[in-house]
Amino acid sequence: MTAADVAVTAGGPNEFGYHDYALGEFRFSRDEYFAYIGWPTGRHVMSVDAFLRALQRDVAWEFFYGIVNFDGVLGTMNHYGTVDLFAGRYNDAYRKAELDHVETVETTVIRETFKAMLADWTNEGFDPFASPEETGSAFGAKHGDNIAAITRHRVTAARMVSLPGDEPLRDDGNGHPVNRMFADVIQDQPDIHAEPGFADEIGSFNLFAYLSRSPVTWNPSVVSVCRESLYCPTTEEYILPIIHGNDRAEWFVQLSDEIIWDVEDRDTGAKRAKVIMKAGDVAAMPSDIRHQGYSPKRSMLLVWENASPKIPELISSGQFPTQPVEF
Ligand code: PHB
Ligand code: FE
């Protein structure tokens, strides 16, 4: 199916000007402050700004690796072709009470429905990727839209940012001023001294300068690729708007400032660890957890992913350990 073939199931608009949406037996609606989610055995409510920040990432990341929890109840699990939309599935209390619900949906259908909902429910002036200090309000009756912000280009280098034909560097001229919190980041670029004949085979760029000019938060972008090894740095401020449930291990390298991570059991939500990462710290997040980060100042984080499609199965069948390193 292509996007054009997908019929999004929507009704309304309601008295606040917003349409409601259906995916299988799930129903989504919003009013001035809240998003409401219903399914046959329950219903749920979230502040609409938090809902839109999570929805934005789920759409932009094509459902990411493993689980994107919008909060402790609602979320998606990526099966790379289909997506499980769930309520309470990874919540011990909902499971024990048998109130959880899952719909397995073709990726195209959930993507087009989520895109339509995001476009309809995001008002003029609200940018779900921006930090709270750098955006207007998500609230109120429907007024305008912010299509440019919600469909912005996602950086995914084929080899490496700055190489010919690949993702360009950022500068003032292409709409990427230095962020207010990174005013002290040195903006020079490395000198390259290639051996004769090798000038076309070597590239380098200043990653700190590149990140200092990121307009978005909590949005890993692929800046370099070595087979299935992806460097996905990101700039963080306030709270990661999703709770990520891993289907593989991830390495974190804290490049500047500090992030506090809440780490929970992936399947039950039971608390497992509080990890405080300061500049220079490195952590391996195991594949059986979920995590959410808090960044008091805008910080730079390198997320290092192995994108191999074989990994989830190797882990769930026990052939790979859940943690990538033993101490
Ligand atoms: C993660 O879930 O590992 C993650 C997601 C977004 C970020 C950083 C980390 O910005
Ligand atoms: Fe993660």
Side-chain angles (χ1 to χ4, degrees):
M1 261 193 302
T2 66
D5 301 327
V6 174
V8 172
T9 310
N14 62 18
E15 62 190 295
F16 309 103
Y18 301 105
H19 294 88
D20 42 55
Y21 296 85
L23 270 168
E25 295 195 285
F26 277 99
R27 298 288 177 271
F28 296 86
S29 61
R30 87 155 273 186
D31 62 14
E32 290 161 293
Y33 280 120
F34 299 111
Y36 301 88
I37 302 96
W39 61 95
T41 50
R43 56 187 178 158
H44 190 55
V45 60
M46 287 181 68
S47 187
V48 81
D49 59 336
F51 179 85
L52 290 172
R53 289 187 176 109
L55 185 66
Q56 169 72 80
R57 285 160 182 82
D58 220 8
V59 169
W61 304 344
E62 188 76 16
F63 305 97
F64 209 34
Y65 301 103
I67 301 170
V68 171
N69 295 286
F70 284 39
D71 63 6
V73 175
L74 181 74
T76 59
M77 158 75 117
N78 197 354
H79 297 293
Y80 311 98
T82 64
V83 174
D84 291 346
L85 172 63
F86 62 79
R89 172 66 186 81
Y90 300 94
N91 179 306
D92 212 29
Y94 277 77
R95 292 281 284 166
K96 285 189 174 132
E98 298 183 8
L99 290 173
D100 59 307
H101 186 76
V102 181
E103 299 270 350
T104 303
V105 191
E106 292 290 327
T107 300
T108 344
V109 174
I110 184 167
R111 190 211 301 124
E112 293 310 308
T113 306
F114 274 16
K115 273 167 67 178
M117 182 157 54
L118 178 65
D120 180 26
W121 291 8
T122 301
N123 286 316
E124 183 177 358
F126 180 65
D127 180 350
F129 267 132
S131 71
E133 276 280 283
E134 295 177 336
T135 181
S137 163
F139 302 124
K142 170 95 179 142
H143 54 282
D145 57 43
N146 200 355
I147 302 299
I150 64 171
T151 58
R152 57 159 66 83
H153 170 69
R154 182 172 188 221
V155 172
T156 47
R159 291 195 301 161
M160 190 177 83
V161 162
S162 80
L163 295 184
D166 215 325
E167 291 283 352
L169 292 176
R170 296 172 173 147
D171 57 38
D172 291 353
N174 61 21
H176 294 90
V178 175
N179 183 265
R180 74 199 197 288
M181 287 205 188
F182 290 140
D184 57 342
V185 174
I186 295 163
Q187 296 292 319
D188 58 4
Q189 291 295 333
D191 292 328
I192 300 172
H193 301 279
E195 290 293 319
F198 290 91
D200 293 343
E201 294 183 34
I202 184 162
S204 69
F205 72 106
N206 179 344
L207 178 63
F208 285 84
Y210 185 78
L211 292 176
S212 73
R213 294 172 178 275
S214 168
V216 295
T217 58
W218 305 104
N219 186 33
S221 47
V222 182
V223 302
S224 71
V225 181
C226 182
R227 300 201 179 149
E228 272 145 346
S229 170
L230 310 182
Y231 265 8
C232 311
T234 153
T235 54
E236 320 296 47
E237 188 177 327
Y238 190 52
I239 304 175
L240 173 58
I242 60 144
I243 311 168
H244 181 218
N246 290 17
D247 66 2
R248 65 198 69 216
E250 290 173 313
W251 289 86
F252 288 168
V253 182
Q254 189 70 39
L255 298 178
S256 84
D257 301 276
E258 182 174 317
I259 297 179
I260 302 152
W261 288 96
D262 265 338
V263 182
E264 300 171 342
D265 182 84
R266 188 187 78 146
D267 296 335
T268 65
K271 300 287 178 197
R272 266 182 62 173
K274 181 85 80 180
V275 181
I276 299 173
M277 295 190 67
K278 296 175 188 288
D281 285 349
V282 179
M285 291 283 167
S287 56
D288 59 352
I289 58 97
R290 67 193 195 194
H291 50 209
Q292 184 170 39
Y294 300 74
S295 188
K297 302 278 292 174
R298 203 175 188 91
S299 70
M300 298 181 184
L301 171 70
L302 174 60
V303 180
W304 182 19
E305 297 280 357
N306 186 318
S308 166
K310 299 187 191 124
I311 291 179
E313 158 66 15
L314 287 167
I315 291 170
S316 58
S317 64
Q319 292 168 264
F320 257 28
T322 52
Q323 78 280 19
V325 61
E326 295 270 3
F327 294 109

